[in-house]
Amino acid sequence: MTSWLAYDSRLSRTLLAVFWWFATSVQLLATAIPFAFAGQLGLTHLGLWAGAAAALPAGPGLYAALKCMRDFAAHGYPGAPFRTFWTAWARGWNRLWRIWTGAAVLGLLLSYNAVLYGSGDAAFAAVCAAAALVLAALIATASASLAGAEGPALAVLTAALRAAARRPQAPAAWLAVAALAYAAALIPVIGPNLALFTPAAAAWAIVIVNAATGFDRQAA
């Protein structure tokens, strides 16, 4: 009986893993809270600009979530989930703030295009496709930086896009994972509960995809 309660027992490792995934998901969602509040302003000039500014913390949040799940995939429960996340968040901001800022500007332009021209099917599809490409580029950049890509932010972005072009199955899988995570959050009744774990699950899936497709080797 005591073996089940030991720190290194299977039960303990499982509970610690669940806690790690939960903590990673909640902290990533916390970085998106400003954007959720900005959405309450509606499709106004103020709302669009506030939304672009409020989205800035989510970029380093993505970086931090990927770092947490890379650590988990490599070592299991590594401990200190909150310190690990926010240390990685600060590092991701300092290293790649130009990328996150540029993405916010692109998001603002896409938002204006969606408001002004999104009533047509073709225009709406084009805006959605552009948004998906921006998301894939952000995931690629964060993944490349964590894989060891060196140099300034633009160099990391270049290495990330080059690796994504050489391993196109990786960005396709990222977008599929993001779509599944979003769809899971919309499931009636259980969707909000799943949202406490699906962000970490999506980050973990991206880490696995990067290793399996060779994206990390190409980007490093």
Side-chain angles (χ1 to χ4, degrees):
M1 180 66 181
T2 56
S3 62
W4 282 90
L5 301 178
Y7 178 81
D8 59 347
S9 69
R10 182 175 300 178
L11 175 61
S12 296
R13 292 196 301 269
T14 300
L15 292 176
L16 289 172
V18 170
F19 176 67
W20 185 267
W21 285 44
F22 170 78
T24 300
S25 294
V26 169
Q27 291 175 102
L28 177 55
L29 291 173
T31 65
I33 289 177
F35 182 78
F37 278 109
Q40 303 301 315
L41 298 174
L43 299 178
T44 62
H45 289 291
L46 177 59
L48 296 181
W49 282 85
L56 287 174
L62 169 65
Y63 179 97
L66 290 174
K67 172 65 167 63
C68 287
M69 298 318 292
R70 280 176 67 92
D71 289 353
F72 179 82
H75 309 295
Y77 179 76
F82 300 102
R83 182 177 62 196
T84 300
F85 184 93
W86 293 108
T87 300
W89 189 97
R91 187 180 301 117
W93 174 257
N94 291 333
R95 179 87 192 280
L96 301 171
W97 68 268
R98 291 178 178 85
I99 303 300
W100 314 130
T101 304
V105 173
L106 289 175
L108 178 63
L109 295 176
L110 289 173
S111 297
Y112 270 107
N113 277 278
V115 171
L116 296 174
Y117 309 112
S119 57
D121 292 340
F124 181 76
V127 170
C128 290
L133 290 176
V134 171
L135 175 60
L138 293 180
I139 295 174
T141 303
S143 298
S145 180
L146 290 169
E150 298 180 349
L154 184 58
V156 176
L157 174 62
T158 301
L161 296 180
R162 185 184 300 117
R166 292 175 177 174
R167 295 290 188 270
Q169 63 271 36
W174 300 337
L175 295 178
V177 166
L180 288 173
Y182 179 73
L186 298 180
I187 297 175
V189 183
I190 64 173
N193 294 324
L194 290 177
L196 298 177
F197 295 94
T198 48
W204 178 82
I206 290 171
V207 169
I208 299 303
V209 165
N210 291 346
T213 61
F215 176 88
D216 283 346
R217 292 192 300 275
Q218 288 291 330

